Amino acid sequence: MGRASRDKRDIYYRKAKEEGWRARSAFKLLQIDEEFDIFEGVKRVVDLCAAPGSWSQVLSRKLYLPAKLAPDSKGENLPLIVAIDLQPMAPIEGVIQVQGDITNARTAEVVIRHFDGCKADLVVCDGAPDVTGLHDMDEFVQSQLILAGLTIVTHVLKEGGKFIAKIFRGKDTCLLYCQLKLFFPVVTFAKPKSSRNSSIEAFAVCENYSPPEGFDPKDLHRLLEKVGSPSGVDDTDCCSGWLEGPNKVYIPFLACGDLSGYDSDRSYPLPKVDGGTYQSLDPVQPPIAPPYKRALELKKASSQGVREPENLSLDS
Ligand code: SAM
């Protein structure tokens, strides 16, 4: 799909470029905030799986820049934003970047060090694996990322804090909901208007972090296992097969964002600029080290008949 064609078919892709966001995902976080007011009182925040950085941009524009530009600001006690991703990210004002794997325990240690003994008010996680199209597999890998996010939450989030995480809806959604409820009395699954209906993506909005009394983060996995696994239940809706009668779980599911606003599944005509032809804007920030870069280099080298140098080998 060409850029102009995508501009037409994906209104949020076009709007993101017009408003200077690095990715259309920015609108998802903004729409979640419209519904849940997630930035209220937030001074310290962790952005997990942050590249290319549109959520970090939202955090910078909503939290850091207003505090820095406030007339009484002395440039002290500004909001702290720490962003982590496997991929490097171009700089964003007010955002500390950590390149690392959120499933690695050392990453949590690096984040904690940045908070210097203080705790975060908000942790957001828009992590997604490379989607295979096999829903069960994608949902499973996605849930591992959420659990890695929850591990970091148990180390860095203050009591009363919020956790927002991307989920893939599937047969284990109910299990995930029950696991999150162990730590958060209020958990809502939200579908922002900018997230396509055709996508299984939604967001868990978890409020008022309250770990069980005496909870030790070392026990997280044992505790989560206690919730039980619905796998093996021959029912596509795990909740109806797993918990019955008065124990049946109903997951609060909410559409958010201006419901009369742009529909991400619709095409919109391209705007005419003073009678001239429509000019598609360049992406705000091209990826600085995309995973496909080496493959392109290899392809180019082979089309030019260049012998593959040692350091371009895919096996290296
Ligand atoms: N929120 C981002 C934004 O607004 O620009 C988009 C995030 S993108 C959908 C998903 C990101 O998850 C990718 O950048 C990917 O590198 C990252 N990711 C996937 N697995 C990860 C892991 N184990 N540790 C850290 N980042 C990971």
Side-chain angles (χ1 to χ4, degrees):
M1 185 169 27
R3 220 191 289 148
S5 158
R6 183 157 180 210
D7 283 344
K8 193 169 165 185
R9 287 191 222 172
D10 186 344
I11 185 74
Y12 287 101
Y13 169 74
R14 170 151 67 86
K15 288 277 161 208
K17 293 187 292 177
E18 287 169 9
E19 295 180 21
W21 303 114
R22 292 180 182 182
R24 64 193 297 293
S25 332
F27 294 108
K28 299 175 192 170
L29 191 61
L30 290 166
Q31 290 170 350
I32 290 170
D33 177 51
E34 274 172 38
E35 186 67 41
F36 296 93
D37 213 2
I38 55 172
F39 299 133
E40 175 69 31
V42 169
K43 293 288 273 179
R44 296 184 201 87
V45 43
V46 182
D47 182 5
L48 299 172
C49 303
S54 77
W55 280 27
S56 288
Q57 285 182 292
V58 171
L59 297 169
S60 173
R61 289 191 201 178
K62 284 270 181 187
L63 301 171
Y64 180 83
L65 293 175
K68 183 186 160 193
L69 302 173
D72 56 347
S73 163
K74 299 190 181 76
E76 292 162 3
N77 297 324
L78 293 174
L80 179 64
I81 304 166
V82 180
I84 300 132
D85 202 285
L86 288 170
Q87 310 293 332
M89 224 163 76
I92 295 169
E93 186 170 4
V95 179
I96 297 170
Q97 292 184 28
V98 175
Q99 195 177 344
D101 183 343
I102 66 160
T103 62
N104 186 324
R106 280 209 309 269
T107 307
E109 287 162 21
V110 176
V111 176
I112 293 164
R113 243 179 280 140
H114 279 291
F115 281 92
D116 200 17
C118 298
K119 295 228 160 177
D121 308 295
L122 172 68
V123 176
V124 297
C125 178
D126 189 26
D130 289 335
V131 174
T132 63
L134 301 168
H135 283 182
D136 287 355
M137 166 94 102
D138 293 337
E139 188 200 0
F140 173 76
V141 181
Q142 180 67 18
S143 67
Q144 297 311 300
L145 275 186
I146 299 168
L147 295 183
L150 189 59
T151 306
I152 294 181
V153 159
T154 59
H155 285 94
V156 302
L157 191 63
K158 73 167 194 198
E159 293 210 11
K162 292 177 190 147
F163 175 44
I164 316 295
K166 176 167 28 217
I167 62 160
F168 285 171
R169 284 171 296 150
K171 67 179 173 44
D172 284 349
T173 305
C174 184
L175 171 64
L176 179 64
Y177 174 77
C178 295
Q179 289 175 325
L180 292 169
K181 283 281 283 181
L182 286 176
F183 296 89
F184 297 90
V186 187
V187 177
T188 311
F189 286 177
K191 181 81 173 169
K193 190 100 167 90
S194 48
S195 173
R196 287 197 190 82
N197 280 328
S198 50
S199 157
I200 57 171
E201 155 191 278
F203 293 85
V205 180
C206 311
E207 299 174 82
N208 193 11
Y209 178 57
S210 323
E213 219 178 301
F215 170 72
D216 180 339
K218 283 207 299 291
D219 298 332
L220 175 68
H221 287 271
R222 216 149 9 107
L223 190 61
L224 293 178
E225 274 163 22
K226 268 206 207 154
V227 176
S229 167
S231 306
V233 175
D234 56 350
D235 193 323
T236 44
D237 171 9
C238 78
C239 296
S240 58
W242 188 34
L243 295 172
E244 290 292 354
N247 294 327
K248 186 163 170 152
V249 175
Y250 293 95
I251 305 176
F253 200 90
L254 204 73
C256 59
D258 177 1
L259 299 184
S260 58
Y262 290 115
D263 177 347
S264 50
D265 290 291
R266 251 193 67 191
S267 287
Y268 287 86
L270 296 171
K272 294 253 179 311
V273 190
D274 297 332
T277 48
Y278 170 78
Q279 291 291 320
S280 180
L281 294 172
D282 285 335
V284 171
Q285 173 66 57
I288 54 178
Y292 51 81
K293 192 170 161 218
R294 280 176 77 229
L296 289 178
E297 285 167 354
L298 279 172
K299 192 171 166 203
K300 193 169 164 204
S302 84
S303 71
Q304 290 170 348
V306 179
R307 224 176 130 253
E308 187 183 294
E310 289 290 309
N311 64 358
L312 278 185
S313 162
L314 277 177
D315 308 323
S316 61

